[in-house]
Amino acid sequence: MCGIAGIIGLDAEYRPQRHSLQAMIQALHHRGPDGYGVLVDGPVGLAHARLSIIDLSSDGDQPMGNEDGSIQIVFNGEIFNYLELRAELLKAGHRFKSHSDTETIVHAYEEYGERFLDKLNGQFAFVLWDRPRRRVVLARDRVGIRPLYLARDGRRLLFASEIKSFVAADFPLRLNPRGLGQTFTFWSTVGEETSFEGVRALPAGHVMVIENGAERVSRYWDWQAAPKGAPAPVSYEAAATHVRELLIDSVRLQLRADVPVGAYLSGGLDSSAIVSLIKNYTDTPLRTFSVAFEDAEFDESSYQQAMVDYAGTDHTTIRCTRQDIGREFPRLVEHAETPVLRTAPVPLMLLSGLVRQSGYKVVLTGEGADEIFGGYDLFKEAKVRRFWARQPESRARAALLTRLYPYLKHSPVGNAAFAGNFYGQGLSEVNDPFYAHLPRWNTTRRLWNFLAPDVRASLQDWDPHADLRALLPDDFGNWNELGRDQYIEVQTLLSGYLLSSQGDRVAMANSIEGRFPFLDHRVIEYLNSLPARYKLRGLYEKAILRRAVHGLLPDAVLNRVKQPYRAPDSMSFFAGGKPLDYVAELLSPERVAASGYFDPQAVARLLEKCRQGRAIGFADNMAFVGILSTMLLDDKFVRSRRSGASTVPQTFPTTA
């Protein structure tokens, strides 16, 4: 795990400046506190900040080249199958100067050409410079675990793990109205879009090649799903056995490191399964970490303790309060570099700090299981709505919705009349590819009501759904319904939010690498080949995962109903009946008006509603957190860079 940055000259005469590269990579110190490396070679400049995990010696320093230095790379992430790949390349005659996984990428590129990405099992973002061919290759892992951003600026193309590097290279940042529109619909930007104008993301599973003045971007991997009505390739029991085997191997590979590896333990099925697989199928000492809450509504510590007792782990818990969330939220936004609609990433950022203080650099986590196994209530909700749509007059079918969201204090299905009206919207549009997600997006879209009139006017002829629709595979309509719902979830929430704001960014804020065994592409591909009924049996979610780990978990955890990870939202930003100082300043009518993003009067009404504790619904809480995070983003990356003044003190950590 590391940070990468650099400059690619867009004409042969351009030469990157070393001081610009040094400034860009120093902005990513938190991603790689163990050392810097900079290389200028003709029109290409590469920079690297290292977090030493594999091959701790100086032989693992980057930029790293092949035998004669004609091919150079800067790499962020891990190649988990590097030992097997290294043996294969040695047989082919390649010579290695290090034991680093980074070097296997260079030699795989030499050996296999542009299909070398198919050989990599890992989580990565890298930029490779092939001097003889005057070619630059930029690539990102299949599911978007590691970030890679691009910005074209005159004669140069900037790239970096985080957008703040571009500021260090004198690239001015302005918030992107379309990025806001996407986030205030889908919870995150999608595709290449980001929260800043002129900055784009290389999407997950994509590779960019710049050669002879031309730039081409292509997808080298994508999710698939079994067609509707396709027969099961194997029995349910055989599939469950193979799922267990795949997960064991994924865990085994992802435990590879030259430093100690720990694991997160939330108390839910997913992280508990990872911990149990480590315990039962590896010889890695079990060291686990959890976050607990003072609010009983969000706290899962009893389940965490049950798993600790069952597995006998060496365990540490950090307890998070509302005050912690309010205090640390500005730091979160500065690392996330995008508006967020929930405070849930903050406790995870504090948890990664605990991991670092405990002497660890790497943790395994259960993220991704809900997406690939069909674990979210949204999938069950869509199944009920499709069943209801076949007999829309049926009260019994509509009543099935009351089985959902039992963990919510103010459940959207608690009132039958409200649930019928809300989930009955668009009930008959079962062929819409976004059918499962439209109720949630309609709630999120209410944030548009808070936008300033000029911003709303600029977006009135633009449909964010069209951006997402353009990303759908050609055969999408032939997939089974759950597979379609999962794909939309992956394209919106997984890469753009869960693996970014709630994953990479909050871990790397404290120089911690998170690893995700459920997101091994072999696991994903196998699960996508199975019928939907193997994953969602009636309204029993993640059925095949539960079967795969049967006998490895205590019954209380194995049979527990899914409870999504959440944290206190708007009430975290008030104390003694008053908003926190930075909240009061950023959401003041004068400041909101000066920013130009939101309607000051609408924001003032929302602020007062939240202050009084009357914001109990999702829409109000998302609006408050989304508006506040947008104003923090403007304060940190736009206003302070323009004027030299910031309402909130600078918070980038200096990692020991």
Side-chain angles (χ1 to χ4, degrees), residues 138 140 147-151 158-163 166 192-194 199-202 336-337 500 505:
L138 306 92
R140 194 167 173 215
L148 186 58
Y149 295 100
L150 308 164
L158 308 175
F159 69 84
S161 299
E162 297 183 17
I163 297 169
F166 300 157
E192 294 188 347
E193 204 76 62
T194 74
V199 177
R200 55 180 169 148
L202 183 65
E337 299 180 332
S500 177
R505 300 311 183 82

PDB file of all heavy atoms in Angstrom, residues 138 140 147-151 158-163 166 192-194 199-202 336-337 500 505:
ATOM      1  N   LEU A 138      -1.892   3.013 -17.557  1.00  0.00           N
ATOM      2  CA  LEU A 138      -2.486   3.309 -16.255  1.00  0.00           C
ATOM      3  C   LEU A 138      -3.603   2.296 -16.036  1.00  0.00           C
ATOM      4  O   LEU A 138      -4.456   2.111 -16.916  1.00  0.00           O
ATOM      5  CB  LEU A 138      -3.043   4.728 -16.191  1.00  0.00           C
ATOM      6  CG  LEU A 138      -2.088   5.873 -16.551  1.00  0.00           C
ATOM      7  CD1 LEU A 138      -2.185   6.207 -18.044  1.00  0.00           C
ATOM      8  CD2 LEU A 138      -2.411   7.131 -15.724  1.00  0.00           C
ATOM      9  N   ARG A 140      -6.345   0.129 -13.065  1.00  0.00           N
ATOM     10  CA  ARG A 140      -6.986   0.072 -11.747  1.00  0.00           C
ATOM     11  C   ARG A 140      -7.610  -1.302 -11.557  1.00  0.00           C
ATOM     12  O   ARG A 140      -8.078  -1.920 -12.523  1.00  0.00           O
ATOM     13  CB  ARG A 140      -8.055   1.164 -11.661  1.00  0.00           C
ATOM     14  CG  ARG A 140      -8.545   1.422 -10.252  1.00  0.00           C
ATOM     15  CD  ARG A 140      -9.353   2.693 -10.179  1.00  0.00           C
ATOM     16  NE  ARG A 140      -9.954   2.843  -8.871  1.00  0.00           N
ATOM     17  CZ  ARG A 140     -11.142   3.383  -8.662  1.00  0.00           C
ATOM     18  NH1 ARG A 140     -11.831   3.856  -9.692  1.00  0.00           N
ATOM     19  NH2 ARG A 140     -11.632   3.486  -7.446  1.00  0.00           N
ATOM     20  N   PRO A 147      -7.671   3.843  -5.574  1.00  0.00           N
ATOM     21  CA  PRO A 147      -8.097   4.964  -6.421  1.00  0.00           C
ATOM     22  C   PRO A 147      -7.015   5.414  -7.399  1.00  0.00           C
ATOM     23  O   PRO A 147      -5.817   5.232  -7.160  1.00  0.00           O
ATOM     24  CB  PRO A 147      -8.377   6.068  -5.393  1.00  0.00           C
ATOM     25  CG  PRO A 147      -7.401   5.783  -4.272  1.00  0.00           C
ATOM     26  CD  PRO A 147      -7.265   4.281  -4.220  1.00  0.00           C
ATOM     27  N   LEU A 148      -7.453   6.041  -8.486  1.00  0.00           N
ATOM     28  CA  LEU A 148      -6.533   6.674  -9.422  1.00  0.00           C
ATOM     29  C   LEU A 148      -7.276   7.795 -10.139  1.00  0.00           C
ATOM     30  O   LEU A 148      -8.277   7.552 -10.823  1.00  0.00           O
ATOM     31  CB  LEU A 148      -5.988   5.668 -10.439  1.00  0.00           C
ATOM     32  CG  LEU A 148      -4.896   6.183 -11.380  1.00  0.00           C
ATOM     33  CD1 LEU A 148      -3.697   6.704 -10.592  1.00  0.00           C
ATOM     34  CD2 LEU A 148      -4.460   5.085 -12.350  1.00  0.00           C
ATOM     35  N   TYR A 149      -6.766   9.023  -9.959  1.00  0.00           N
ATOM     36  CA  TYR A 149      -7.407  10.210 -10.517  1.00  0.00           C
ATOM     37  C   TYR A 149      -6.522  10.841 -11.585  1.00  0.00           C
ATOM     38  O   TYR A 149      -5.286  10.738 -11.547  1.00  0.00           O
ATOM     39  CB  TYR A 149      -7.694  11.221  -9.417  1.00  0.00           C
ATOM     40  CG  TYR A 149      -8.701  10.719  -8.401  1.00  0.00           C
ATOM     41  CD1 TYR A 149      -8.279  10.209  -7.175  1.00  0.00           C
ATOM     42  CD2 TYR A 149     -10.055  10.737  -8.690  1.00  0.00           C
ATOM     43  CE1 TYR A 149      -9.204   9.729  -6.259  1.00  0.00           C
ATOM     44  CE2 TYR A 149     -10.980  10.260  -7.775  1.00  0.00           C
ATOM     45  CZ  TYR A 149     -10.552   9.757  -6.561  1.00  0.00           C
ATOM     46  OH  TYR A 149     -11.463   9.283  -5.660  1.00  0.00           O
ATOM     47  N   LEU A 150      -7.168  11.547 -12.523  1.00  0.00           N
ATOM     48  CA  LEU A 150      -6.481  12.164 -13.646  1.00  0.00           C
ATOM     49  C   LEU A 150      -6.976  13.593 -13.819  1.00  0.00           C
ATOM     50  O   LEU A 150      -8.151  13.892 -13.586  1.00  0.00           O
ATOM     51  CB  LEU A 150      -6.756  11.384 -14.935  1.00  0.00           C
ATOM     52  CG  LEU A 150      -6.490   9.875 -14.896  1.00  0.00           C
ATOM     53  CD1 LEU A 150      -7.168   9.189 -16.071  1.00  0.00           C
ATOM     54  CD2 LEU A 150      -4.998   9.608 -14.914  1.00  0.00           C
ATOM     55  N   ALA A 151      -6.073  14.469 -14.256  1.00  0.00           N
ATOM     56  CA  ALA A 151      -6.445  15.850 -14.550  1.00  0.00           C
ATOM     57  C   ALA A 151      -5.567  16.361 -15.685  1.00  0.00           C
ATOM     58  O   ALA A 151      -4.340  16.327 -15.586  1.00  0.00           O
ATOM     59  CB  ALA A 151      -6.289  16.742 -13.315  1.00  0.00           C
ATOM     60  N   LEU A 158      -1.884  15.061 -15.238  1.00  0.00           N
ATOM     61  CA  LEU A 158      -1.536  14.728 -13.863  1.00  0.00           C
ATOM     62  C   LEU A 158      -2.268  13.446 -13.462  1.00  0.00           C
ATOM     63  O   LEU A 158      -3.412  13.214 -13.862  1.00  0.00           O
ATOM     64  CB  LEU A 158      -1.955  15.860 -12.917  1.00  0.00           C
ATOM     65  CG  LEU A 158      -1.487  17.277 -13.260  1.00  0.00           C
ATOM     66  CD1 LEU A 158      -2.101  18.276 -12.291  1.00  0.00           C
ATOM     67  CD2 LEU A 158       0.026  17.369 -13.236  1.00  0.00           C
ATOM     68  N   PHE A 159      -1.622  12.637 -12.653  1.00  0.00           N
ATOM     69  CA  PHE A 159      -2.297  11.475 -12.067  1.00  0.00           C
ATOM     70  C   PHE A 159      -1.903  11.376 -10.598  1.00  0.00           C
ATOM     71  O   PHE A 159      -0.818  11.812 -10.198  1.00  0.00           O
ATOM     72  CB  PHE A 159      -1.968  10.176 -12.808  1.00  0.00           C
ATOM     73  CG  PHE A 159      -0.544   9.702 -12.643  1.00  0.00           C
ATOM     74  CD1 PHE A 159      -0.157   8.945 -11.548  1.00  0.00           C
ATOM     75  CD2 PHE A 159       0.404   9.999 -13.605  1.00  0.00           C
ATOM     76  CE1 PHE A 159       1.152   8.506 -11.392  1.00  0.00           C
ATOM     77  CE2 PHE A 159       1.721   9.562 -13.470  1.00  0.00           C
ATOM     78  CZ  PHE A 159       2.098   8.816 -12.357  1.00  0.00           C
ATOM     79  N   ALA A 160      -2.774  10.784  -9.776  1.00  0.00           N
ATOM     80  CA  ALA A 160      -2.479  10.645  -8.352  1.00  0.00           C
ATOM     81  C   ALA A 160      -3.493   9.731  -7.680  1.00  0.00           C
ATOM     82  O   ALA A 160      -4.617   9.551  -8.166  1.00  0.00           O
ATOM     83  CB  ALA A 160      -2.479  12.002  -7.659  1.00  0.00           C
ATOM     84  N   SER A 161      -3.069   9.193  -6.529  1.00  0.00           N
ATOM     85  CA  SER A 161      -3.978   8.388  -5.709  1.00  0.00           C
ATOM     86  C   SER A 161      -5.065   9.238  -5.079  1.00  0.00           C
ATOM     87  O   SER A 161      -6.160   8.735  -4.798  1.00  0.00           O
ATOM     88  CB  SER A 161      -3.198   7.677  -4.593  1.00  0.00           C
ATOM     89  OG  SER A 161      -2.232   6.799  -5.102  1.00  0.00           O
ATOM     90  N   GLU A 162      -4.763  10.512  -4.833  1.00  0.00           N
ATOM     91  CA  GLU A 162      -5.742  11.410  -4.226  1.00  0.00           C
ATOM     92  C   GLU A 162      -5.671  12.762  -4.917  1.00  0.00           C
ATOM     93  O   GLU A 162      -4.609  13.193  -5.390  1.00  0.00           O
ATOM     94  CB  GLU A 162      -5.495  11.540  -2.723  1.00  0.00           C
ATOM     95  CG  GLU A 162      -5.670  10.226  -1.974  1.00  0.00           C
ATOM     96  CD  GLU A 162      -5.502  10.366  -0.459  1.00  0.00           C
ATOM     97  OE1 GLU A 162      -5.563  11.514   0.047  1.00  0.00           O
ATOM     98  OE2 GLU A 162      -5.308   9.337   0.210  1.00  0.00           O
ATOM     99  N   ILE A 163      -6.797  13.447  -4.948  1.00  0.00           N
ATOM    100  CA  ILE A 163      -6.927  14.686  -5.696  1.00  0.00           C
ATOM    101  C   ILE A 163      -6.103  15.806  -5.082  1.00  0.00           C
ATOM    102  O   ILE A 163      -5.661  16.721  -5.787  1.00  0.00           O
ATOM    103  CB  ILE A 163      -8.422  15.070  -5.795  1.00  0.00           C
ATOM    104  CG1 ILE A 163      -9.178  13.984  -6.576  1.00  0.00           C
ATOM    105  CG2 ILE A 163      -8.618  16.420  -6.446  1.00  0.00           C
ATOM    106  CD1 ILE A 163     -10.687  14.105  -6.520  1.00  0.00           C
ATOM    107  N   PHE A 166      -3.068  17.170  -6.827  1.00  0.00           N
ATOM    108  CA  PHE A 166      -3.174  18.120  -7.932  1.00  0.00           C
ATOM    109  C   PHE A 166      -3.054  19.556  -7.443  1.00  0.00           C
ATOM    110  O   PHE A 166      -2.528  20.426  -8.149  1.00  0.00           O
ATOM    111  CB  PHE A 166      -4.495  17.920  -8.674  1.00  0.00           C
ATOM    112  CG  PHE A 166      -4.663  16.550  -9.274  1.00  0.00           C
ATOM    113  CD1 PHE A 166      -5.925  16.047  -9.554  1.00  0.00           C
ATOM    114  CD2 PHE A 166      -3.567  15.747  -9.556  1.00  0.00           C
ATOM    115  CE1 PHE A 166      -6.092  14.794 -10.108  1.00  0.00           C
ATOM    116  CE2 PHE A 166      -3.711  14.481 -10.108  1.00  0.00           C
ATOM    117  CZ  PHE A 166      -4.986  14.006 -10.388  1.00  0.00           C
ATOM    118  N   GLU A 192     -16.464   7.994 -14.612  1.00  0.00           N
ATOM    119  CA  GLU A 192     -15.300   8.861 -14.537  1.00  0.00           C
ATOM    120  C   GLU A 192     -15.552  10.123 -13.715  1.00  0.00           C
ATOM    121  O   GLU A 192     -14.614  10.847 -13.401  1.00  0.00           O
ATOM    122  CB  GLU A 192     -14.853   9.280 -15.942  1.00  0.00           C
ATOM    123  CG  GLU A 192     -14.323   8.154 -16.803  1.00  0.00           C
ATOM    124  CD  GLU A 192     -13.713   8.669 -18.093  1.00  0.00           C
ATOM    125  OE1 GLU A 192     -13.913   9.858 -18.422  1.00  0.00           O
ATOM    126  OE2 GLU A 192     -13.017   7.893 -18.771  1.00  0.00           O
ATOM    127  N   GLU A 193     -16.785  10.411 -13.399  1.00  0.00           N
ATOM    128  CA  GLU A 193     -17.132  11.677 -12.744  1.00  0.00           C
ATOM    129  C   GLU A 193     -16.526  11.755 -11.346  1.00  0.00           C
ATOM    130  O   GLU A 193     -16.389  10.751 -10.642  1.00  0.00           O
ATOM    131  CB  GLU A 193     -18.639  11.815 -12.639  1.00  0.00           C
ATOM    132  CG  GLU A 193     -19.148  13.240 -12.538  1.00  0.00           C
ATOM    133  CD  GLU A 193     -19.108  13.970 -13.861  1.00  0.00           C
ATOM    134  OE1 GLU A 193     -19.792  13.545 -14.802  1.00  0.00           O
ATOM    135  OE2 GLU A 193     -18.368  14.977 -13.956  1.00  0.00           O
ATOM    136  N   THR A 194     -16.143  12.966 -10.934  1.00  0.00           N
ATOM    137  CA  THR A 194     -15.695  13.223  -9.565  1.00  0.00           C
ATOM    138  C   THR A 194     -16.380  14.479  -9.057  1.00  0.00           C
ATOM    139  O   THR A 194     -17.152  15.117  -9.767  1.00  0.00           O
ATOM    140  CB  THR A 194     -14.163  13.417  -9.483  1.00  0.00           C
ATOM    141  OG1 THR A 194     -13.823  14.714 -10.011  1.00  0.00           O
ATOM    142  CG2 THR A 194     -13.413  12.325 -10.228  1.00  0.00           C
ATOM    143  N   VAL A 199     -11.375  16.984 -13.114  1.00  0.00           N
ATOM    144  CA  VAL A 199     -10.736  15.815 -12.501  1.00  0.00           C
ATOM    145  C   VAL A 199     -11.615  14.605 -12.779  1.00  0.00           C
ATOM    146  O   VAL A 199     -12.819  14.630 -12.548  1.00  0.00           O
ATOM    147  CB  VAL A 199     -10.558  15.990 -10.981  1.00  0.00           C
ATOM    148  CG1 VAL A 199      -9.951  14.734 -10.369  1.00  0.00           C
ATOM    149  CG2 VAL A 199      -9.697  17.208 -10.678  1.00  0.00           C
ATOM    150  N   ARG A 200     -11.020  13.551 -13.287  1.00  0.00           N
ATOM    151  CA  ARG A 200     -11.782  12.341 -13.560  1.00  0.00           C
ATOM    152  C   ARG A 200     -11.121  11.150 -12.876  1.00  0.00           C
ATOM    153  O   ARG A 200      -9.921  11.172 -12.583  1.00  0.00           O
ATOM    154  CB  ARG A 200     -11.902  12.081 -15.062  1.00  0.00           C
ATOM    155  CG  ARG A 200     -10.588  12.032 -15.793  1.00  0.00           C
ATOM    156  CD  ARG A 200     -10.778  11.781 -17.282  1.00  0.00           C
ATOM    157  NE  ARG A 200      -9.553  11.983 -18.013  1.00  0.00           N
ATOM    158  CZ  ARG A 200      -9.217  11.319 -19.098  1.00  0.00           C
ATOM    159  NH1 ARG A 200     -10.015  10.379 -19.569  1.00  0.00           N
ATOM    160  NH2 ARG A 200      -8.080  11.575 -19.715  1.00  0.00           N
ATOM    161  N   ALA A 201     -11.920  10.146 -12.632  1.00  0.00           N
ATOM    162  CA  ALA A 201     -11.417   8.901 -12.066  1.00  0.00           C
ATOM    163  C   ALA A 201     -11.235   7.887 -13.182  1.00  0.00           C
ATOM    164  O   ALA A 201     -12.056   7.819 -14.105  1.00  0.00           O
ATOM    165  CB  ALA A 201     -12.395   8.352 -11.033  1.00  0.00           C
ATOM    166  N   LEU A 202     -10.164   7.107 -13.105  1.00  0.00           N
ATOM    167  CA  LEU A 202     -10.087   5.930 -13.959  1.00  0.00           C
ATOM    168  C   LEU A 202     -11.021   4.902 -13.331  1.00  0.00           C
ATOM    169  O   LEU A 202     -10.824   4.499 -12.182  1.00  0.00           O
ATOM    170  CB  LEU A 202      -8.663   5.389 -14.028  1.00  0.00           C
ATOM    171  CG  LEU A 202      -8.461   4.184 -14.956  1.00  0.00           C
ATOM    172  CD1 LEU A 202      -8.723   4.570 -16.405  1.00  0.00           C
ATOM    173  CD2 LEU A 202      -7.064   3.603 -14.799  1.00  0.00           C
ATOM    174  N   ALA A 336     -11.666  12.109   2.313  1.00  0.00           N
ATOM    175  CA  ALA A 336     -12.609  11.523   1.358  1.00  0.00           C
ATOM    176  C   ALA A 336     -12.615  12.275   0.036  1.00  0.00           C
ATOM    177  O   ALA A 336     -12.837  11.686  -1.019  1.00  0.00           O
ATOM    178  CB  ALA A 336     -14.014  11.500   1.949  1.00  0.00           C
ATOM    179  N   GLU A 337     -12.420  13.580   0.071  1.00  0.00           N
ATOM    180  CA  GLU A 337     -12.381  14.442  -1.116  1.00  0.00           C
ATOM    181  C   GLU A 337     -13.693  14.385  -1.908  1.00  0.00           C
ATOM    182  O   GLU A 337     -13.712  14.549  -3.124  1.00  0.00           O
ATOM    183  CB  GLU A 337     -11.206  14.063  -2.019  1.00  0.00           C
ATOM    184  CG  GLU A 337      -9.855  14.208  -1.338  1.00  0.00           C
ATOM    185  CD  GLU A 337      -8.691  13.837  -2.229  1.00  0.00           C
ATOM    186  OE1 GLU A 337      -8.870  12.988  -3.142  1.00  0.00           O
ATOM    187  OE2 GLU A 337      -7.595  14.390  -2.031  1.00  0.00           O
ATOM    188  N   SER A 500     -14.182   3.574  -1.010  1.00  0.00           N
ATOM    189  CA  SER A 500     -13.438   4.834  -1.057  1.00  0.00           C
ATOM    190  C   SER A 500     -13.581   5.575   0.266  1.00  0.00           C
ATOM    191  O   SER A 500     -12.731   5.470   1.145  1.00  0.00           O
ATOM    192  CB  SER A 500     -13.949   5.691  -2.221  1.00  0.00           C
ATOM    193  OG  SER A 500     -13.298   6.930  -2.262  1.00  0.00           O
ATOM    194  N   ARG A 505      -9.877   5.510   1.978  1.00  0.00           N
ATOM    195  CA  ARG A 505      -9.533   6.827   2.512  1.00  0.00           C
ATOM    196  C   ARG A 505      -9.438   6.859   4.027  1.00  0.00           C
ATOM    197  O   ARG A 505      -8.541   7.495   4.588  1.00  0.00           O
ATOM    198  CB  ARG A 505     -10.542   7.878   2.026  1.00  0.00           C
ATOM    199  CG  ARG A 505     -10.579   8.007   0.532  1.00  0.00           C
ATOM    200  CD  ARG A 505      -9.157   8.144  -0.058  1.00  0.00           C
ATOM    201  NE  ARG A 505      -9.207   8.347  -1.476  1.00  0.00           N
ATOM    202  CZ  ARG A 505      -9.420   9.515  -2.066  1.00  0.00           C
ATOM    203  NH1 ARG A 505      -9.603  10.589  -1.343  1.00  0.00           N
ATOM    204  NH2 ARG A 505      -9.461   9.602  -3.373  1.00  0.00           N
TER     205      ARG A 505
END
